Amino acid sequence: MGKRILIVDDAAFMRMMIKDILTKNNFEVVGEAADGSQAVEKYLELKPDLVTMDITMPEMDGIAALKAIKEKDPSATIIMCSAMGQQAMVIDAIQAGAKDFIVKPFQADRVVEAIQKAIG
């Protein structure tokens, strides 16, 4: 069984794309969340090995969710997902404890590489 992953993105289409990449590469998608507050809840409930976290979302953005998850579980492994041109936010996320980031539109090999690097 592959590593257990929680996908967080406010766009259902993006969640579907990343889920497709992950399942084809033997990762197990254990849950999905559409905003940061759902992400924190699901993380605590599911205890995934890794989280893919969109940066810009309604309610609570990805950086706030990252910080909230890290507060509860300092060992959480989180990879941020960003659109082009969000460099400043990506830097904030890395400083807040994100392991890596992947850029949309997702390239399957880059997604898999980032996840394998993050969870060893």
Side-chain angles (χ1 to χ4, degrees), residues 23-113:
T23 50
K24 282 182 178 158
N25 286 279
N26 300 320
F27 293 106
E28 182 189 358
V29 176
V30 291
E32 295 181 26
D35 64 50
S37 48
Q38 275 184 19
V40 176
E41 264 173 51
K42 293 256 185 190
Y43 181 85
L44 296 172
E45 174 193 327
L46 301 167
K47 301 275 191 278
D49 296 310
L50 181 129
V51 180
T52 64
M53 179 83 71
D54 187 20
I55 289 184
T56 46
M57 296 181 288
E59 303 293 322
M60 178 193 272
D61 70 24
I63 294 174
L66 164 76
K67 288 176 180 169
I69 290 171
K70 281 291 203 179
E71 213 171 82
K72 305 232 186 294
D73 179 4
S75 67
T77 303
I78 301 170
I79 293 178
M80 303 309 284
C81 304
S82 71
M84 290 291 191
Q86 292 181 319
Q87 279 80 356
M89 292 173 97
V90 167
I91 291 165
D92 287 350
I94 299 291
Q95 289 170 338
K99 284 269 193 258
D100 202 348
F101 68 96
I102 44 183
V103 178
K104 296 174 183 176
F106 300 123
Q107 293 169 309
D109 53 353
R110 174 69 187 111
V111 171
V112 171
E113 178 194 318

